[in-house]
Amino acid sequence: MKDIKVLMFGWEFPPHTVGGLGKVTYHLSNALADLGVKISLILPIRGKSNNLKIIPTNLISIKGIKTFLTPYLNERSYQYQLEEESKIYVNLRDEINRFTKRGVEIAKQEDFDIIHCHDWMTFPAGIETKKFSGKKLILHVHTTELDRGCGGCNPFVYNIELNAFEKADKIIAVSNYTKNKIVEGYGISKDKIEVVHNAIEFNGEKKNKKSKRKKIILFFGRLSLHKGPDYFIRAAKKVLDYKKDVLFVMAGSGELLPEMIDLSCNLGIGDKILFTGRLKEDEVEKIYEIADLYVLPSVSEPFGITVLEAASNGIPVIISKNCGVKEIFNNCLEVDFWDVDEIANKMISVLEYEPARMEITENAYRDLEKISWKKQASHVLNIYNSLLR
Amino acid sequence: MVSVCFYLHVHQPFRLKNFRIFDIGKEKNYFDEERNRMYLERIIKKSYLPTNQILLDLIHKTDGKFKVSFSITGVLLEQLENYPKVLESFKKIVDTGCCDLVGETYYHSLASVFSLSEFKRQIKKQEKKLKEVFGIKPKIFRNTELVYQNEIGKFVERLGYKGILAEGWDKVLEWRSPCFVYKGKDSNICVLLKHYKLSDDIAFRFSERKWEGWPLTADKFSNWINKHNGNGNIINLFMDYETFGEHQWKETGIFEFLKHFPLKVLKNGDEFLTPTETIKKYKPVAEIDFPNIVSWADTERDLSAWIGNRMQKAASSELYSLEKEILKYGDRKLIDNWRKLQTADHLYYMCTKWFADGDVHKYFNPYRSPYDAFIIFMNILNDLKLKLEINKKIKTNYMDKNFLRRVEEGKEFYCRNGKIICSLEELAREIKKLDPETFLHHVNEEKNDFANWIENVIGDIVLANRIKRIKRQSTMSRVITARVARLNLL
């Protein structure tokens, strides 16, 4: 069989990652390359950093586009980042147009059989490429505007997504949860959508957590509305009212950072919550090493790959019911994101009841053994093949 | 002629409400009354009422040749008190004389594994309940989940039981057949062994379309029974009552099957017997040795679904470790709650055996996960412990010198005659000096101000309880003085 050549429009890429998407792109394209798929990856590259980590295979070639785009941008965080880096781009819309134009120019010089796009910023480029090349277009949906917007979605982004969903030949959703969002929120036929869950590379090594007196509860993710950081802080307050020797770490940056710091001070627990800002890879490992409990109180979470990462580090996890990851991962505690009392109750319970912690983490390891990128890549390959037939 | 012993186990637990860690010491009730009612009413409608009607009709239609037996747990009987119609439908069947009631633990507990003394108390309590409701004393025993072992057999024999139900598990039986009556090792108790293949054909496989026996008809099943003629005396069909209408829905045709298979059995020349009749008719053919615990559950036939993982072990051992203290210091309500927590279902909900394999739907769990079940259970257990501690303090004549201290300003006792009392010692001195009129004003048929003050301000509940009913000034003075003297001695 002839090798399939894929033109992939990506997001970020390690080591410069903001959310889980860079990692997903990395692992998925790596696993696909192992199956013999040739990938040309077109990526937005942040203005100042051009040094990309090269995947150790010659099946992937990477083309960078200098742009200011990073995943999970919206108007508000775009402005936030502008302030942060004091650049003078006019608005998000122009930036997307620029990326699309450059992307298509590169695509014209490439030889490929199929187009694979990751999330909305790359969708216009995918559609344009499909137009001139006539190749099939796959949209890989890691998150939708309906997740990010928490009810107040941006019509500009929504329309890009809607238009692209309609024109695509196939949509890959990272969970049934997301699939339903696309069916219900965008009116797309469910036959057009395949679910390929994310995975992690779990090496089977079980970490032994040292027990220490002071316990650390971790929030790890962007500080945006849809991740529910405010529920985390409110639950922290309840925990601290009950139990003093607990420390809370909020790892990640985002447009809500100032508000969250305010909130924790107003609740009088400013000294018990640590805001780390954005973490580098080795810092992430450190934080997983010391955390005793991971909490993801997302309002809407298409997948939630950090849950698997935390579990692979022997950390018990509390997740909101609105998380795609629970479709493949059972051994955690589930809560309603708004139920602050219940979140706090479970936080304390996991710390206090050792047998529960041990059962959760051990059974979680068993879940993880069944998960691998190789399996998921072969699902994706099957989708390629079905489109090329 | 083959004898069929058809026995059904009827049980519903008191499910726990979502008891949070913050509720410890605050929330009074442990049980999710609304949900328990909802489940019970559903099962009454889907299973109990229609099944009982069919069973009663069968008895009448066959002139009493059809026999059935029940074990109904005390915790279910308690819940059914609000449903006299349902209780009545069970009574009607029992009253025909064609129904044996089988004894067990009132709370559907695994006490036999943890504490034989508690096991005995719960068996006695169940006997009392059966006497009360049905006027019957059971002669046959079934343990929770059919848990059996030689020692358990000997134990219940001493309590007066003639027979016990157990799983006809191949690993114990080896070459032997479950179709005979056996006797327990080193005892005279008769052991009736469940014919698990035929029982499970109804209980588990009835609606299983992939099973080669599907669809299971009355003809087919009664012929399978009939085939045992010549190589067995009895077929013990033991199963959960809820098989009819709940585990196997009405739509599967289970009720039609129930209506017809007994008639076919009788038509084939076979008969129905109750367990009591069975052990009267057939003498034990041999002794059967159950050195280890065998249950009727899962492919392992062990207790791993109840005490297999760390959570279950921790929960059960902590629960049973309270036995001595709670029986000594607990009041009736506390002890009852402690026992309701022993209901095996609570431990079962913590089972991760199937959950770990991702097959969450294989068994029924009212909680979100086994971990939730554990957390709720432990929170409640901690609340129970707290209540026990309080009871213990009260009951052990908890003596504290603090009682002798001067009370806070503003909390003094103001006598009617203007005298102000600031401490217990002062009260002891002053009370005998009080004029009778003032004393009568504070201590009469309606109230006892001194007792209230001692309880609420001083905090000496023991003393308060002692003088609560005392009406004579001199007696009260003597009691208080004695108390002060003892406290001073500490």
Side-chain angles (χ1 to χ4, degrees):
Chain A
M1 195 178 71
K2 187 176 144 289
D3 285 346
I4 299 172
K5 291 195 273 296
V6 179
L7 181 72
M8 198 178 267
F9 286 96
W11 286 102
E12 52 174 14
F13 213 62
H16 295 279
T17 55
V18 182
L21 213 132
K23 263 177 280 175
V24 170
T25 319
Y26 174 85
H27 288 295
L28 179 64
S29 42
N30 228 355
L32 280 168
D34 285 346
L35 295 174
V37 177
K38 289 205 169 95
I39 301 170
S40 299
L41 184 57
I42 300 177
L43 284 174
I45 293 172
R46 303 285 296 284
K48 46 185 176 187
S49 60
N50 262 334
N51 44 344
L52 277 176
K53 187 168 156 191
I54 303 300
I55 297 175
T57 163
N58 51 14
L59 289 172
I60 301 175
S61 65
I62 297 176
K63 308 269 156 35
I65 299 175
K66 279 199 184 178
T67 166
F68 187 50
L69 287 182
T70 66
Y72 317 112
L73 271 189
N74 57 40
E75 287 290 349
R76 194 171 163 205
S77 57
Y78 184 73
Q79 292 301 331
Y80 172 73
Q81 235 165 43
L82 277 184
E83 283 163 31
E84 207 181 45
E85 311 211 349
S86 60
K87 290 270 165 94
I88 15 159
Y89 286 106
V90 189
N91 64 34
L92 190 54
R93 198 175 301 214
D94 292 348
E95 197 62 35
I96 298 287
N97 288 339
R98 236 173 54 81
F99 176 78
T100 305
K101 228 175 112 199
R102 274 292 294 144
V104 174
E105 275 167 31
I106 296 175
K108 280 186 175 156
Q109 293 151 23
E110 293 290 323
D111 172 31
F112 55 90
D113 309 310
I114 209 160
I115 313 158
H116 188 153
C117 290
H118 294 279
D119 271 10
W120 72 275
M121 282 184 206
T122 67
F123 290 175
I127 293 170
E128 291 303 312
T129 309
K130 176 181 159 88
K131 250 188 221 162
F132 82 78
S133 65
K135 306 289 187 192
K136 301 272 172 134
L137 171 65
I138 298 175
L139 302 179
H140 202 138
V141 183
H142 303 268
T143 160
T144 69
E145 183 58 16
L146 296 180
D147 301 305
R148 291 178 301 256
C150 284
C153 84
N154 180 344
F156 165 65
V157 178
Y158 179 85
N159 283 328
I160 288 182
E161 288 178 336
L162 180 62
N163 179 37
F165 290 158
E166 281 167 354
K167 294 206 167 110
D169 298 288
K170 202 85 204 169
I171 297 168
I172 298 177
V174 291
S175 60
N176 286 307
Y177 175 79
T178 299
K179 179 176 176 174
N180 290 339
K181 274 252 155 92
I182 300 170
V183 172
E184 279 158 27
Y186 296 82
I188 304 296
S189 154
K190 63 179 191 298
D191 303 328
K192 199 173 179 176
I193 310 167
E194 299 283 339
V195 173
V196 178
H197 290 107
N198 287 332
I200 62 162
E201 291 302 331
F202 175 57
N203 58 11
E205 183 201 341
K206 293 179 185 174
K207 306 244 162 77
N208 273 331
K209 286 253 155 205
K210 274 182 227 132
S211 87
K212 47 192 183 312
R213 223 178 66 78
K214 189 140 191 146
K215 301 287 185 186
I216 294 176
I217 303 183
L218 175 67
F219 175 97
F220 179 40
R222 266 163 305 113
L223 301 185
S224 318
L225 212 51
H226 78 272
K227 291 273 180 184
D230 44 332
Y231 298 109
F232 181 82
I233 294 176
R234 286 178 202 284
K237 166 75 179 154
K238 300 230 168 198
V239 172
L240 288 166
D241 285 346
Y242 185 90
K243 192 171 157 65
K244 289 281 169 280
D245 49 356
V246 187
L247 192 66
F248 294 82
V249 175
M250 295 198 87
S253 181
E255 69 275 11
L256 288 183
L257 180 60
E259 276 170 56
M260 291 304 110
I261 294 174
D262 266 4
L263 178 63
S264 62
C265 292
N266 289 341
L267 291 172
I269 52 172
D271 56 331
K272 295 281 194 179
I273 299 195
L274 239 75
F275 292 88
T276 68
R278 187 182 305 169
L279 296 181
K280 294 216 190 74
E281 219 171 308
D282 55 329
E283 294 171 324
V284 172
E285 267 167 43
K286 271 267 146 52
I287 208 103
Y288 279 142
E289 226 167 77
I290 58 165
D292 297 286
L293 172 62
Y294 177 67
V295 183
L296 185 70
S298 292
V299 178
S300 183
E301 186 70 53
F303 191 76
I305 203 159
T306 48
V307 168
L308 302 181
E309 288 172 3
S312 73
N313 281 284
I315 306 172
V317 181
I318 299 176
I319 61 172
S320 110
K321 282 182 186 169
N322 303 348
C323 282
V325 67
K326 69 170 196 172
E327 291 161 22
I328 57 162
F329 183 77
N330 284 324
N331 287 293
C332 54
L333 291 169
E334 254 178 67
V335 291
D336 289 302
F337 67 86
W338 44 263
D339 196 346
V340 173
D341 276 335
E342 184 64 15
I343 298 174
N345 173 43
K346 291 206 163 133
M347 282 176 171
I348 300 171
S349 299
V350 174
L351 299 184
E352 301 256 309
Y353 302 138
E354 182 66 6
R357 187 193 69 78
M358 290 172 83
E359 283 295 327
I360 292 173
T361 50
E362 260 181 38
N363 292 325
Y365 277 129
R366 261 190 280 169
D367 269 358
L368 292 175
E369 274 157 17
K370 282 176 239 149
I371 296 169
S372 80
W373 272 116
K374 197 178 162 193
K375 247 195 235 171
Q376 303 313 86
S378 68
H379 283 313
V380 174
L381 186 58
N382 285 341
I383 295 170
Y384 289 165
N385 283 327
S386 72
L387 283 178
L388 292 172
R389 202 173 291 142
Chain B
M1 184 197 278
V2 176
S3 308
V4 178
C5 182
F6 186 45
Y7 151 81
L8 303 172
H9 172 57
V10 207
H11 167 64
Q12 283 295 310
F14 282 97
R15 290 166 200 86
L16 305 174
K17 71 194 245 176
N18 185 8
F19 199 93
R20 288 173 175 160
I21 213 146
F22 310 111
D23 296 329
I24 296 173
K26 296 195 186 96
E27 177 61 41
K28 299 256 183 322
N29 193 7
Y30 296 158
F31 307 101
D32 193 338
E33 277 160 14
E34 198 182 321
R35 191 151 58 156
N36 286 326
R37 192 175 338 115
M38 193 187 81
Y39 283 133
L40 188 62
E41 283 176 4
R42 193 181 68 190
I43 204 153
I44 284 173
K45 208 171 126 217
K46 283 177 72 181
S47 177
Y48 297 164
L49 287 179
T51 308
N52 275 349
Q53 189 57 53
I54 292 172
L55 294 174
L56 189 64
D57 287 350
L58 277 169
I59 291 170
H60 288 320
K61 212 186 265 178
T62 60
D63 280 331
K65 290 201 185 71
F66 172 70
K67 312 274 169 70
V68 65
S69 309
F70 299 133
S71 62
I72 313 175
T73 63
V75 283
L76 175 64
L77 288 172
E78 232 176 85
Q79 292 183 76
L80 285 180
E81 273 162 19
N82 298 322
Y83 303 88
K85 228 176 91 188
V86 184
L87 221 44
E88 201 51 47
S89 74
F90 279 109
K91 271 188 209 159
K92 268 188 195 158
I93 295 174
V94 174
D95 289 347
T96 60
C98 299
C99 174
D100 233 2
L101 281 179
V102 176
E104 65 185 318
T105 59
Y106 185 98
Y107 293 91
H108 190 71
S109 76
L110 293 174
S112 58
V113 182
F114 294 98
S115 159
L116 285 176
S117 51
E118 178 61 18
F119 183 46
K120 180 177 169 184
R121 282 187 286 266
Q122 291 187 15
I123 295 171
K124 289 288 168 203
K125 187 163 167 139
Q126 177 70 1
E127 285 174 5
K128 203 174 143 211
K129 188 82 182 172
L130 291 179
K131 187 102 209 160
E132 218 173 271
V133 179
F134 299 101
I136 278 183
K137 182 173 174 9
K139 292 195 189 69
I140 308 288
F141 187 79
R142 71 86 68 179
N143 199 5
T144 308
E145 306 303 336
L146 242 57
V147 166
Y148 180 68
Q149 174 187 24
N150 296 333
E151 292 309 311
I152 293 174
K154 279 190 235 167
F155 190 81
V156 298
E157 186 189 13
R158 282 202 293 278
L159 297 180
Y161 287 93
K162 306 278 177 250
I164 187 165
L165 312 186
E167 176 73 9
W169 184 223
D170 305 331
K171 283 192 182 148
V172 176
L173 289 177
E174 293 172 343
W175 51 270
R176 282 162 290 207
S177 153
C179 302
F180 296 94
V181 175
Y182 292 86
K183 83 180 197 58
K185 191 169 162 55
D186 303 329
S187 80
N188 286 316
I189 196 156
C190 293
V191 184
L192 295 177
L193 297 165
K194 175 182 155 192
H195 194 297
Y196 72 84
K197 289 192 188 86
L198 286 171
S199 301
D200 293 353
D201 284 344
I202 302 177
F204 300 132
R205 287 183 284 270
F206 184 78
S207 59
E208 181 67 57
R209 283 168 187 254
K210 282 184 213 136
W211 172 47
E212 73 238 16
W214 190 87
L216 186 61
T217 59
D219 275 322
K220 204 191 276 182
F221 192 72
S222 52
N223 285 339
W224 288 347
I225 288 173
N226 189 253
K227 269 192 202 148
H228 287 77
N229 268 303
N231 50 21
N233 297 331
I234 43 162
I235 305 287
N236 291 316
L237 297 178
F238 301 166
M239 62 198 76
D240 279 336
Y241 185 106
E242 286 85 4
T243 301
F244 300 95
E246 174 77 11
H247 300 331
Q248 307 291 346
W249 291 358
K250 184 179 158 204
E251 289 73 20
T252 63
I254 191 75
F255 287 137
E256 290 309 306
F257 174 79
L258 180 61
K259 272 180 209 164
H260 292 110
F261 97 83
L263 302 178
K264 296 279 178 191
V265 167
L266 294 173
K267 210 174 148 199
N268 285 345
D270 299 323
E271 64 170 355
F272 281 90
L273 292 180
T274 65
T276 318
E277 290 168 343
T278 306
I279 60 170
K280 259 191 209 138
K281 179 164 177 181
Y282 301 106
K283 292 286 155 260
V285 291
E287 196 173 80
I288 187 102
D289 185 12
F290 275 71
N292 303 313
I293 282 181
V294 172
S295 81
W296 72 352
D298 312 330
T299 45
E300 296 95 341
R301 299 296 200 280
D302 59 9
L303 286 176
S304 58
W306 290 271
I307 38 178
N309 69 35
R310 285 189 197 85
M311 298 189 290
Q312 295 167 318
K313 283 176 187 152
S316 52
S317 70
E318 271 205 48
L319 181 68
Y320 281 97
S321 74
L322 298 180
E323 179 181 351
K324 222 173 118 193
E325 297 244 298
I326 208 156
L327 293 177
K328 191 162 171 200
Y329 303 115
D331 52 31
R332 186 184 288 187
K333 175 101 198 254
L334 201 65
I335 293 172
D336 184 52
N337 279 344
W338 172 66
R339 287 182 170 148
K340 277 178 182 152
L341 289 177
Q342 291 181 40
T343 300
D345 304 63
H346 301 311
L347 291 172
Y348 190 70
Y349 299 142
M350 297 175 203
C351 176
T352 48
K353 274 209 289 188
W354 308 288
F355 194 75
D357 301 333
D359 197 355
V360 198
H361 307 291
K362 205 163 180 176
Y363 70 113
F364 174 73
N365 194 337
Y367 311 106
R368 280 178 189 157
S369 73
Y371 313 119
D372 284 76
F374 175 72
I375 289 172
I376 290 168
F377 187 90
M378 291 308 280
N379 287 345
I380 288 177
L381 191 56
N382 280 329
D383 185 82
L384 193 82
K385 277 181 173 170
L386 192 74
K387 291 204 172 89
L388 177 60
E389 276 312 303
I390 295 169
N391 271 29
K392 194 173 159 188
K393 272 186 186 170
I394 296 170
K395 280 206 181 172
T396 45
N397 281 0
Y398 182 69
M399 290 181 197
D400 195 332
K401 277 207 169 180
N402 287 338
F403 294 156
L404 294 173
R405 267 203 314 230
R406 218 189 119 92
V407 300
E408 271 174 64
E409 213 162 302
K411 296 204 168 167
E412 300 91 347
F413 191 96
Y414 292 86
C415 295
R416 196 176 179 225
N417 60 9
K419 180 82 204 154
I420 300 170
I421 298 168
C422 314
S423 72
L424 208 52
E425 279 183 306
E426 200 176 341
L427 180 68
R429 267 199 318 277
E430 295 298 326
I431 204 159
K432 52 188 151 192
K433 295 186 209 155
L434 278 182
D435 55 286
E437 201 188 328
T438 310
F439 185 83
L440 269 176
H441 173 79
H442 291 296
V443 180
N444 51 46
E445 283 309 320
E446 273 133 43
K447 60 175 183 176
N448 185 334
D449 288 341
F450 296 114
N452 288 340
W453 186 70
I454 289 170
E455 180 169 345
N456 297 323
V457 178
I458 303 278
D460 189 347
I461 302 167
V462 176
L463 179 59
N465 281 335
R466 270 184 211 162
I467 65 162
K468 225 165 226 167
R469 267 169 216 91
I470 297 177
K471 298 279 176 296
R472 284 176 57 160
Q473 195 168 350
S474 56
T475 320
M476 191 176 289
S477 161
R478 206 179 58 236
V479 172
I480 297 175
T481 313
R483 177 73 173 169
V484 169
R486 279 203 70 179
L487 288 174
N488 269 324
L489 271 177
L490 281 176

